[in-house]
Amino acid sequence: MILAVSGLVRDQLIRWYDVPPGKITVVPNGIDAGRYAEPLDHEQVRGWFGMPANSLVLGFLGNEFDRKGVQTIIEALPHLRDIPLEVFIAGADDPAPYRRRAEQLSVSDRTHFVGRVTNPEEFLRVLDVFVFPVHYEPFGMVVTEAMAAGVPVITARAVGAVEGMTDG
């Protein structure tokens, strides 16, 4: 028996490795939803991250910025100039090439790199929208965590966790 974290991985095992479908069971990753239920001072936590109170705040949380689409987020910002929004990118990856790209596109004032966060639940809970334009992710725990935080999610079909999402 092979356990796959998503139907996406199950389908890849079948297609790429000729594993018989009957030998694969999908068991999605779980999260502790209780970590997102505690009361939270929204304004105070936004202040910890330097998030403005009067802008739409989009957020990204993850490492491997290249594979997970941080450049896609930055390159979308010039198309959203009429919307008062700012993007907060959390993760331990090197932000230097993405900062340079934001400067080239004149969106560095709307792009904030907060580094590694020690309180990801709080970071997610104060976002207005979670953005995860990943190129490939077998599951994507952060997608389910953002949903547990009650935050709308924008992501790609290349994420196994989308199997649990409903459009709208």
Side-chain angles (χ1 to χ4, degrees), residues 129-146:
V129 178
F130 178 71
V131 183
F132 196 63
V134 67
H135 302 294
Y136 172 75
E137 186 67 33
F139 186 76
M141 290 287 293
V142 71
V143 170
T144 56
E145 291 168 336

Side-chain angles (χ1 to χ4, degrees), residues 3-88:
L3 297 179
V5 297
S6 64
L8 175 70
V9 171
R10 178 199 60 225
D11 295 346
Q12 291 169 340
L13 288 168
I14 293 165
R15 183 174 54 250
W16 296 343
Y17 300 102
D18 284 329
V19 176
K23 292 194 176 243
I24 305 169
T25 299
V26 175
V27 180
N29 291 322
I31 60 165
D32 178 1
R35 293 170 60 184
Y36 300 90
E38 294 180 21
L40 177 78
D41 184 333
H42 197 265
E43 190 174 311
Q44 179 184 23
V45 174
R46 272 199 169 190
W48 294 340
F49 293 108
M51 296 174 179
N54 59 348
S55 290
L56 179 67
V57 174
L58 276 61
F60 168 92
L61 175 62
N63 298 315
E64 297 181 69
F65 287 177
D66 185 48
R67 181 175 66 85
K68 294 187 179 173
V70 168
Q71 183 156 324
T72 301
I73 297 169
I74 293 167
E75 290 181 350
L77 286 176
H79 303 285
L80 304 169
R81 289 198 193 278
D82 296 336
I83 301 172
L85 68 84
E86 297 190 32
V87 176
F88 285 76

